[in-house]
């Protein structure tokens, strides 16, 4: 029984039908069903989304999922459509951290326990498998998920299985997860309970752990995580080419060597320099910046450079436009300032694009992250502007503005066609509630003062006529590069094909497509809360190319290129990307195809070798 919902509007998408005809944004046709707090891309342009189970503060469940919380959304980037199918969870995965695993599985670690006071009871579900409507206590009818390590194994289409059986020794709300060089997980921080800044007594969890366990211990205390509390949620972390893990918490940074037993004195930790002191709040939730690895190039030895951008100023709640970077594997590593972003934002998303540029979307100009869906969000002044960073020229430009506000709980994901989608925001009723986007003041009164606000939008008012707060529309950005000429076309590579590290591989090109001048590789993404440990861009040297065939080297190992699904793009001389092919990078004996010396040379032997190679790799 969820009839009150019928009186409430969910924002629906406008109708679109064909491939975008010009650079810029368009709202896709359809809704996500589940509200995408957590996003993971699967091959075939499928997006796995996980939401907050909705019985608080709105006293009823999301009508699309009935609180089952996870969906697989089939996206058609050309037609501009999305189509979600529920793929239910039993343990609450909202507030989890996640990463893509070595075989393309998605690991979802930790999550929520608030509002889940009962243990899981299948008998409460009706004959159709739907849970009862929300009760006044706010039960979500999911088990508390804060201590779970979940594995999602995608199947065909909307199919896929969840294994939610693994239990951690401590709870983690807002942890960061990194898939390491060998497919093991590094899981950092998170709090023992939902962190409330007003009550910081019992929530610190100053630890990290490996999954599977290393050195015979469930978890390890870390001084930096401990020191930074309460500014230690969703730490910045990346696998580095040296094999170490980069970790940044607030303004302190370190590398952690996952092959060294920490012992009693953190023998595995090497602290680096602090981020320079400027007028900036701690570089972490709730003053959320974003982070990414600069594009890495084979020709310059795969140097890793961590970038952090945005967040907010310390003296005011205004967003920051600052960006800094560091090369943590350099023994003399220190932070350096990058040019400021054209538009200051907190809660931004940075998305690596196939041509090696970085797209900045989403976020707000004032306030902070946090809060419940609806009226108690803490941020104002949505940033619709879209900025593009070119790491080679070290320059920013501003491109077309988005239409949909992306405040707290947003996401952005690169699709295989080179377009980018954005998701989320728990304040879709913002304008109706506040009246305008600029209404700011002291944070406390912004959060608490409901005087003069539109009563029909209060969560308690289920007869109200406001738009529901959960933004279920997807907006798609088509960059200029899609309109600069014809696309190259890569021959299709069957799903699940594994490319072994350090192999020299050949891929077939369709001569009807534009000639290929670059091959670029981007790892598949998961993202939440401006935290994306997965995406990374690597450009191999093109060892040979003609109109039908290209040869390049797969990166040497998982430290440089962590295992899992990667996009392979071919780029034309005008920088127009092909549609990508998905392949798994992984371990195994390196194979090598001969590198032709002239076009047409080695024709027969290569064709034969390729047939053998593909047969081997497909195992
Ligand atoms: C690092 O952050 C702490 C706490 O926020 C602050 O006291 C300290 O001054 C900061 N250090 C620098 C170098 O910014
Ligand atoms: C940040 O602001 C707080 C209070 O406004 C102040 O106590 C603190 O010293 C400032 N920190 C830095 C690093 O400027
Ligand atoms: C619900 O909204 C209506 C306006 O749409 C308002 O008149 C009424 O007072 C509100 N009720 C509550 C409980 O806020
Ligand atoms: C409150 O929001 C509703 C729904 O959008 C709208 O119809 C109404 O005009 C708004 N009321 C005020 C006072 O802004
Ligand atoms: C990668 O292969 C090249 C030659 O094909 C070899 O020289 C190099 O040692 C290999 N690197 C690794 C890390 O195996
Ligand atoms: C491209 O090079 C490969 C390898 O030498 C060869 O087999 C193929 O025939 C060449 N394609 C064209 C169109 O020459
Ligand atoms: Cu959150």
């Amino acid at each position: 029984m969820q009839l009150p919902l019928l009186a409430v509007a969910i924002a629906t998408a406008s109708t679109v039908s064909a491939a975008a005809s010009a650079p810029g944004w368009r709202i896709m046709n359809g809704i996500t069903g589940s509200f995408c707090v957590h996003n993971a891309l699967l091959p075939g342009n499928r997006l796995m989304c996980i939401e907050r189970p909705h019985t608080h503060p709105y006293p009823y469940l999301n009508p699309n999922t009935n609180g089952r919380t996870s969906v697989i959304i089939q996206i058609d980037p050309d037609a501009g459509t999305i189509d979600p199918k529920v793929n239910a969870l039993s343990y609450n995965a909202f507030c989890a951290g996640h990463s893509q695993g070595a075989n393309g599985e998605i690991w979802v670690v930790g999550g929520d326990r608030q509002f889940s006071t009962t243990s899981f009871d299948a008998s409460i579900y009706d004959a159709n498998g739907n849970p009862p409507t929300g009760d006044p206590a706010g039960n979500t009818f999911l088990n508390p998920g804060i201590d779970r390590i979940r594995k999602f194994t995608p199947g065909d289409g909307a199919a896929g299985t969840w294994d939610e059986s693994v239990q951690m020794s401590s709870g983690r709300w807002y942890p960061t997860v990194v898939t390491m060089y060998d497919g093991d997980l590094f899981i950092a921080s998170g709090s023992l309970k939902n962190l409330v800044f007003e009550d910081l007594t019992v929530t610190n969890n100053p630890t990290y752990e490996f999954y599977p366990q290393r050195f015979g211990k469930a978890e390890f205390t870390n001084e930096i995580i401990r020191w930074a509390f309460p500014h230690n949620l969703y730490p910045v972390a990346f696998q580095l080419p040296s094999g170490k893990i980069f970790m940044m918490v607030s303004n302190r940074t370190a590398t952690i060597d996952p092959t060294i037993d920490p012992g009693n004195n953190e023998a595995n930790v090497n602290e680096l320099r602090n981020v320079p002191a400027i007028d900036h709040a701690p570089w972490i939730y709730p003053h959320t910046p974003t982070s990414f690895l600069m594009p890495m190039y084979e020709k310059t030895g795969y140097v890793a450079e961590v970038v952090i951008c945005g967040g907010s100023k310390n003296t005011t709640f205004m967003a920051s436009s600052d960006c800094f970077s560091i090369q943590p594997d350099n023994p003399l590593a220190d932070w350096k300032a990058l040019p400021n972003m054209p538009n200051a934002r907190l809660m931004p998303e940075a998305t690596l694009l196939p041509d090696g540029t970085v797209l900045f979307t989403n976020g707000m100009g004032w306030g902070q992250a946090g809060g419940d869906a609806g009226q108690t969000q803490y941020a104002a002044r949505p940033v619709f502007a879209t900025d593009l960073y070119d790491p080679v020229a070290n320059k920013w430009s501003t491109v077309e503005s988005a239409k949909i506000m992306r405040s707290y709980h947003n996401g952005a994901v690169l699709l295989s066609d080179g377009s980018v989608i954005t998701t989320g925001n728990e304040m879709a009723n913002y304008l109706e509630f506040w009246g305008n986007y600029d209404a700011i003041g002291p944070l406390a009164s912004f959060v608490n003062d409901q005087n003069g606000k539109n009563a029909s939008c209060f969560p308690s008012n289920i007869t109200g006529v406001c738009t529901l707060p959960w933004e279920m529309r997807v907006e798609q950005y088509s960059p200029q590069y899609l309109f600069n000429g014809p696309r190259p076309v890569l021959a299709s590579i069957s799903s699940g094909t594994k490319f072994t590290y350090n192999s020299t591989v050949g891929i077939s090109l369709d001569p009807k497509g534009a000639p290929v001048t670059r091959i670029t590789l981007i790892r598949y993404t998961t993202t939440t809360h401006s935290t994306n440990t997965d995406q990374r861009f690597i450009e191999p040297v093109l060892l040979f190319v003609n109109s039908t065939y290209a040869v390049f080297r797969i990166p040497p190992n998982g430290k440089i290129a962590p295992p899992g699904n990667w996009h392979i793009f071919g780029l034309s001389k005008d920088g127009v990307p092909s549609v990508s092919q998905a392949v798994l990078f992984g371990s195994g004996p390196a194979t090598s195809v001969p590198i032709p010396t002239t076009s047409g040379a080695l024709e027969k032997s290569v064709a034969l070798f390729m047939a053998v190679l593909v047969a081997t790799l497909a195992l």
Side-chain angles (χ1 to χ4, degrees):
M1 261 299 289
Q2 297 176 23
L3 291 180
L5 276 172
L6 300 176
V8 189
I10 289 183
T12 49
S14 60
T15 303
V16 287
S17 57
S21 56
W25 292 88
R26 64 171 176 177
I27 297 172
M28 298 188 96
N29 196 16
I31 59 169
T32 55
S34 176
F35 157 70
C36 300
V37 180
H38 303 278
N39 300 268
L41 186 69
L42 311 173
N45 286 323
R46 292 169 297 160
L47 186 73
M48 200 259 285
C49 273
I50 301 171
E51 68 185 343
R52 183 204 301 248
H54 299 314
T55 54
H56 178 88
Y58 281 75
Y60 40 75
L61 293 161
N62 173 359
N64 301 292
T65 59
N66 283 322
R68 313 303 294 276
T69 78
S70 130
V71 294
I72 308 290
I73 303 167
Q74 181 64 58
I75 302 172
D76 184 333
D78 284 341
T81 58
I82 56 175
D83 178 23
K85 299 273 188 302
V86 173
N87 195 290
L89 281 160
S90 300
Y91 291 85
N92 192 341
F94 167 60
C95 305
H98 32 75
S99 67
Q100 186 211 173
N103 294 303
E105 75 280 23
I106 307 296
W107 295 95
V108 180
V109 176
D112 210 7
R113 70 192 286 271
Q114 203 169 21
F115 318 124
S116 295
T117 56
T118 56
S119 58
F120 185 68
D121 176 3
S123 71
I124 64 174
Y125 291 87
D126 70 15
N128 298 319
N130 293 323
T133 49
D135 70 9
N139 293 317
T140 60
F141 306 106
L142 291 176
N143 281 315
I146 193 165
D147 62 355
R148 294 282 141 175
I149 295 180
R150 299 169 203 75
K151 179 183 176 181
F152 177 73
T153 307
D156 290 337
T161 50
W162 282 102
D163 177 349
E164 303 180 73
S165 61
V166 176
Q167 213 173 328
M168 289 184 286
S169 55
S170 63
R172 299 189 186 275
W173 185 90
Y174 281 36
T176 294
V177 184
V178 174
T179 296
M180 301 198 299
Y181 58 95
D182 58 357
D184 286 5
L185 305 182
F186 172 78
I187 302 167
S189 191
S191 57
L192 295 170
K193 294 202 313 189
N194 304 43
L195 187 137
V196 184
F197 276 78
E198 291 73 32
D199 174 18
L200 298 175
T201 49
V202 285
T203 56
N204 198 4
N205 185 355
T207 65
Y208 61 86
E209 65 185 86
F210 298 103
Y211 180 77
Q213 281 182 18
R214 293 190 173 197
F215 316 114
K217 273 186 83 173
E219 59 190 25
F220 304 92
T221 300
N222 177 267
E223 167 55 19
I224 295 175
I225 301 176
R226 189 202 60 72
W227 164 87
F229 180 80
H231 295 114
N232 62 5
L233 300 178
Y234 287 128
V236 175
F238 294 103
Q239 172 69 58
L240 296 171
S242 61
K244 296 173 183 170
I245 310 295
F246 173 85
M247 186 175 74
M248 167 170 167
V249 191
S250 185
N251 59 10
R252 285 175 74 178
T253 55
T255 56
I256 296 177
D257 188 332
T259 65
I260 294 178
D261 186 338
N264 296 325
N265 60 348
E266 298 205 66
N268 58 342
V269 176
N270 178 33
E271 187 162 0
L272 306 174
R273 306 284 289 270
N274 284 3
V275 183
I278 56 165
D279 180 10
H280 201 284
W283 293 81
I284 200 158
Y285 175 88
H287 314 289
T288 307
T290 195
S291 55
F292 63 95
L293 287 176
M294 286 279 201
M296 295 160 68
Y297 298 91
E298 181 181 6
K299 67 177 180 208
T300 49
Y302 308 105
V303 175
E305 183 165 336
V306 175
V307 183
I308 50 166
C309 282
S312 47
K313 293 181 181 298
N314 186 50
T315 49
T316 68
F317 286 101
M318 296 305 292
S320 164
S321 60
D322 287 291
C323 288
F324 283 86
S325 77
I326 191 169
Q327 297 181 358
D329 279 338
N330 178 342
L332 304 174
D334 200 357
W335 292 90
K336 66 167 198 262
L338 297 178
N340 281 36
M341 297 190 283
N343 291 284
R345 41 182 124 211
L346 61 123
M347 304 185 277
E349 281 274 309
T351 307
L352 299 172
L353 300 183
D355 65 351
T357 58
V358 190
L359 190 74
F360 276 69
T361 58
N362 302 9
M364 302 294 274
W366 178 91
Q368 63 181 41
D372 288 324
Q375 98 283 16
T376 51
Q377 297 270 286
Y378 307 158
R381 300 190 176 174
V383 182
F384 296 104
T386 308
D387 296 323
L388 195 58
Y389 176 63
D390 178 345
V392 174
N394 195 21
K395 282 209 173 91
W396 292 90
S397 56
T398 297
V399 293
E400 300 81 6
S401 290
K403 300 180 188 75
I404 298 177
M405 159 179 173
R406 300 297 185 191
S407 186
Y408 189 41
H409 289 157
N410 68 55
V413 174
L414 171 72
L415 301 180
S416 71
D417 74 326
S419 69
V420 172
I421 54 165
T422 63
T423 64
N425 167 34
E426 279 190 320
M427 198 73 201
N429 56 349
Y430 192 99
L431 271 185
E432 291 159 297
F433 188 79
W434 291 104
N436 68 74
Y437 284 132
D438 281 336
I440 61 171
L443 192 68
S445 66
F446 183 79
V447 171
N448 298 321
D449 176 13
Q450 297 188 343
N451 289 333
K453 307 306 179 298
N454 190 336
S456 66
C457 301
F458 288 4
S460 57
N461 197 342
I462 58 171
T463 61
V465 292
C466 258
T467 305
L468 281 174
W470 308 295
E471 181 56 78
M472 303 219 189
R473 293 173 299 170
V474 171
E475 196 168 1
Q476 180 187 23
Y477 181 65
S478 298
Q480 175 67 50
Y481 58 45
L482 294 177
F483 305 93
N484 287 352
R487 292 183 150 213
V489 179
L490 309 184
S492 77
I493 300 176
S494 56
S495 167
T497 298
K498 205 166 206 179
F499 278 6
T500 305
Y501 289 123
N502 207 35
S503 289
T504 308
V505 297
I507 57 170
S508 297
L509 310 173
D510 182 340
K512 292 197 283 291
V516 165
T517 60
R518 296 167 69 187
I519 294 285
T520 63
L521 313 169
I522 298 183
R523 195 163 179 278
Y524 268 62
T525 227
T526 76
T527 187
T528 190
H529 295 79
S530 303
T531 304
N532 181 336
T533 66
D534 283 307
Q535 67 171 350
R536 110 172 24 197
F537 173 107
I538 294 180
E539 181 162 357
V541 170
L542 204 45
L543 298 170
F544 173 82
V545 70
N546 64 13
S547 63
T548 57
Y549 188 55
V551 180
F552 61 97
R553 188 188 304 282
I554 300 301
N557 55 53
K559 299 168 183 173
I560 291 165
N565 279 305
W566 286 72
H567 298 272
I568 301 181
F569 289 99
L571 269 66
S572 77
K573 68 171 174 23
D574 298 315
V576 184
S578 67
V579 171
S580 72
Q581 293 295 318
V583 297
L584 285 165
F585 287 5
S587 51
T591 48
S592 63
V593 302
I595 302 167
T597 46
T598 56
S599 305
L602 291 174
E603 206 164 317
K604 291 205 174 65
S605 62
V606 167
L608 184 64
F609 200 98
M610 274 304 291
V612 173
L613 175 66
V614 168
T616 313
L617 295 173
L619 299 176

